[in-house]
Amino acid sequence: MYEPDTAAILPEDVLDAASTDEQLSDVLGHGEEADEPITSSVRSPSACCLPVTVEPVMFLTMFSLTLQTPLSTQYLWDRISEDLGYNGSKSTECGNSSVPLDPLQKEVETLTAHWNLYLSLGGFFVVLLVVPFLGSWSDIAGRKPVLIIPNLGLALQAVVYLVVMYLRLPVAYFLVGRLLSGLSGDFIAILAGSFAYVADVSDKQSRTFRVAVLEACLGLAGMLASIIGGQWRKAQGYINPFWLVLATNLASALYAYLFVRESVPRVPDAKLFTTRHYKAVWHLYSTGGSSNKAGGGFHRCKLWLYTLCFFLVVTVHFGSRDLYVLYELSSPLCWGPDLIGYGSAALHLAVLTSLLGLKIMQRCLNDSWMALVGLATNIVALIVFSVADTTALMFTGYGLCFLFLIATPVIRSKLSQLVDPSEQGALFAFVACVESLCLLVGTGLFNSLFPATLYFMKGFTFLVAAVILLIPFGIIGTLQCLDQRRNQGDSTMS
């Protein structure tokens, strides 16, 4: 059983005294006339009675997203190919460079890439505006709405996609679905709400592992959806898998409504459309948050530095993930679909090995040292990838990745422990937006760097990724040493 932080629970007599709306607003320090962002430490006295809370929400939503993304890309390819009259293969034989590229194939590839970019950017910019105030709003309105509303938006997106497929409407209508999903917060809002919920119902000792379990749900759902989606599309086309996308989003929203217990007390008159929610995020990162009592500038600096570490690590993860298949398809590896599948399975298996490794290392190491171990294995693996010219060496790199997913849950947990309990929603909303930005920066940077450096070293991009990871490695190690020194000084003085 996971209990909320007892220091964050109001005494019972205070809760009784705050029975009316106005009194409760006063207790929260967030009444109608308040100018400051929310800084309450109030937390619901009810704890989740089960070790499983928002994990099914995360798993179902990620399953839906992973099932949908490659299917929509393939549908775009097929529709654009049909419109242009292109009937060629979507793949080329490895090493068959003597065959000239079909101009129609190049046009299909370009248009498909452009539409993928339009859909990604359209959703990203809307989400960037919506998620910060949804996350901060969840600090006073409860976490459940932020788990339910985005799932309903994703379900609406699936409905739009199905209508386009049934009626064979122009693919531009896909943008309508992306905008509807973006206005509801999209998957980014669910990420923010889920991690904030886990921060609500866990203590500092269990939080890192609980966050790691959530991230493991992302990996397992992605692996399962990848296996099912490709085979199902080959057997039955696009429409039936998209019905599963719709059903999965609705099931996730229903589970959140029926089984997820609220982790924060709701303010009855909490407004959604107000600039206070943006101010709460700004207040958090400009002052260090309400928990910054004696830490001063060092506390705020730690908040920014850990956020920078998260940005760099996740950017490398997103960016390098796109390159593995490109690297394996071409010479000298020339892998076929079976070996590529085994490589992808090995990478997804790291979700479980990282979770197991984190659980074991918690017995003898603190969070920061575990993050450094995870980053070290990732750096070594990337160096091996950069020089891999045989199948054995490539799989050696995959084997060295067995702990590479430890760093991100540790950083999320570190950030969560730096802010007040009432600011978890604002924090994870900002972190979720950073994660979305990582996807754009990582894919753009690494996919541009890879072809530009092929002429002198095919694996140079992996070396760049390894060098980038040295920055968070140094930051986390330095902050841990400074914290140890401060703790030793405090113990000596006492």
Side-chain angles (χ1 to χ4, degrees):
M1 181 183 297
Y2 295 94
E3 299 289 339
D5 189 357
T6 53
I9 300 175
L10 281 177
E12 189 173 352
D13 57 339
V14 176
L15 291 173
D16 291 338
S19 57
T20 66
D21 297 351
E22 294 78 15
Q23 289 171 319
L24 184 56
S25 298
D26 291 339
V27 172
L28 291 172
H30 198 61
E32 192 66 29
E33 300 300 324
D35 293 327
E36 295 297 323
I38 308 163
T39 58
S40 164
S41 296
V42 178
R43 273 295 171 266
S44 172
S46 62
C48 178
C49 59
L50 295 174
V52 176
T53 51
V54 293
E55 288 81 3
V57 176
M58 184 75 88
F59 181 89
L60 289 170
T61 309
M62 185 62 187
F63 179 90
S64 165
L65 190 69
T66 308
L67 184 63
Q68 169 187 299
T69 302
L71 288 175
S72 59
T73 300
Q74 293 174 74
Y75 181 82
L76 285 170
W77 176 288
D78 287 345
R79 281 294 303 277
I80 292 171
S81 297
E82 182 181 331
D83 292 342
L84 295 177
Y86 173 68
N87 297 315
S89 171
K90 295 188 252 319
S91 61
T92 58
E93 292 296 327
C94 179
N96 191 15
S97 57
S98 60
V99 178
L101 183 64
D102 189 335
L104 277 180
Q105 178 183 331
K106 186 176 181 180
E107 188 174 357
V108 170
E109 289 175 342
T110 302
L111 286 174
T112 303
H114 284 172
W115 274 111
N116 267 333
L117 179 63
Y118 301 152
L119 293 172
S120 298
L121 291 179
F124 171 74
F125 287 118
V126 176
V127 163
L128 203 61
L129 294 173
V130 172
V131 169
F133 75 78
L134 274 180
S136 180
W137 178 64
S138 74
D139 285 327
I140 55 174
R143 307 293 184 210
K144 288 180 67 171
V146 181
L147 300 176
I148 296 170
I149 295 172
N151 266 306
L152 295 178
L154 287 166
L156 279 176
Q157 175 180 286
V159 169
V160 172
Y161 281 26
L162 281 168
V163 171
V164 171
M165 293 174 188
Y166 272 113
L167 302 181
R168 300 190 62 78
L169 298 174
V171 294
Y173 283 97
F174 274 6
L175 278 172
V176 176
R178 287 296 298 131
L179 292 176
L180 288 174
S181 178
L183 287 171
S184 69
D186 205 74
F187 180 64
I188 302 301
I190 296 173
L191 274 180
S194 296
F195 284 114
Y197 188 98
V198 164
D200 293 337
V201 300
S202 61
D203 55 27
K204 291 185 177 181
Q205 286 69 38
S206 64
R207 186 168 302 165
T208 300
F209 184 72
R210 288 295 304 274
V211 170
V213 169
L214 268 186
E215 295 208 359
C217 289
L218 296 176
L220 291 175
M223 180 171 59
L224 183 60
S226 299
I227 295 171
I228 292 175
Q231 298 299 322
W232 199 357
R233 191 209 69 82
K234 187 184 297 183
Q236 296 186 351
Y238 298 100
I239 290 179
N240 286 342
F242 263 92
W243 277 110
L244 179 60
V245 171
L246 173 60
T248 307
N249 287 130
L250 292 176
S252 181
L254 185 63
Y255 174 89
Y257 179 75
L258 294 177
F259 300 112
V260 175
R261 297 182 63 183
E262 188 54 76
S263 61
V264 298
R266 297 188 59 184
V267 177
D269 60 347
K271 293 182 178 180
L272 174 58
F273 301 105
T274 172
T275 57
R276 279 205 197 103
H277 303 311
Y278 288 106
K279 291 178 181 177
V281 177
W282 170 254
H283 175 264
L284 181 64
Y285 273 87
S286 62
T287 67
S290 303
S291 61
N292 186 14
K293 305 297 184 184
F298 181 68
H299 183 96
R300 183 174 64 253
C301 184
K302 285 174 66 176
L303 193 63
W304 278 105
L305 286 174
Y306 278 123
T307 303
L308 173 63
C309 291
F310 182 83
F311 173 79
L312 294 173
V313 172
V314 177
T315 296
V316 167
H317 287 176
F318 280 139
S320 58
R321 183 185 63 185
D322 290 341
L323 300 183
Y324 294 130
V325 175
L326 288 175
Y327 192 83
E328 294 158 358
L329 278 171
S330 56
S331 177
L333 294 176
C334 294
W335 280 10
D338 51 348
L339 284 176
I340 290 175
Y342 294 145
S344 178
L347 196 62
H348 280 100
L349 187 62
V351 173
L352 295 178
T353 56
S354 296
L355 184 63
L356 180 61
L358 187 147
K359 187 66 175 176
I360 294 172
M361 286 192 294
Q362 274 187 325
R363 301 175 183 272
C364 55
L365 295 175
N366 67 21
D367 287 355
S368 293
W369 297 123
M370 289 191 297
L372 294 180
V373 171
L375 287 172
T377 61
N378 199 356
I379 291 169
V380 174
L382 287 167
I383 293 173
V384 172
F385 285 139
S386 71
V387 296
D389 55 1
T390 64
T391 296
L393 200 54
M394 194 70 189
F395 275 106
T396 300
Y398 280 126
L400 290 169
C401 285
F402 74 111
L403 294 177
F404 88 110
L405 288 176
I406 287 180
T408 47
V410 168
I411 296 172
R412 289 186 203 266
S413 179
K414 286 283 188 182
L415 286 168
S416 173
Q417 294 170 25
L418 285 172
V419 305
D420 192 79
S422 67
E423 296 168 321
Q424 299 293 335
L427 169 71
F428 283 110
F430 184 80
V431 170
C433 289
V434 169
E435 190 166 359
S436 185
L437 181 62
C438 291
L439 178 60
L440 289 179
V441 174
T443 54
L445 174 64
F446 283 76
N447 280 287
S448 301
L449 189 62
F450 183 73
T453 56
L454 285 175
Y455 71 96
F456 66 89
M457 182 180 180
K458 184 180 177 184
F460 181 77
T461 309
F462 292 120
L463 281 181
V464 172
V467 171
I468 291 174
L469 287 184
L470 289 174
I471 300 173
F473 187 93
I475 292 173
I476 293 173
T478 302
L479 289 177
Q480 174 61 23
C481 292
L482 290 174
D483 284 339
Q484 286 184 344
R485 209 173 280 176
R486 287 163 63 97
N487 291 336
Q488 289 173 358
D490 291 343
S491 61
T492 303
M493 291 176 61
S494 59

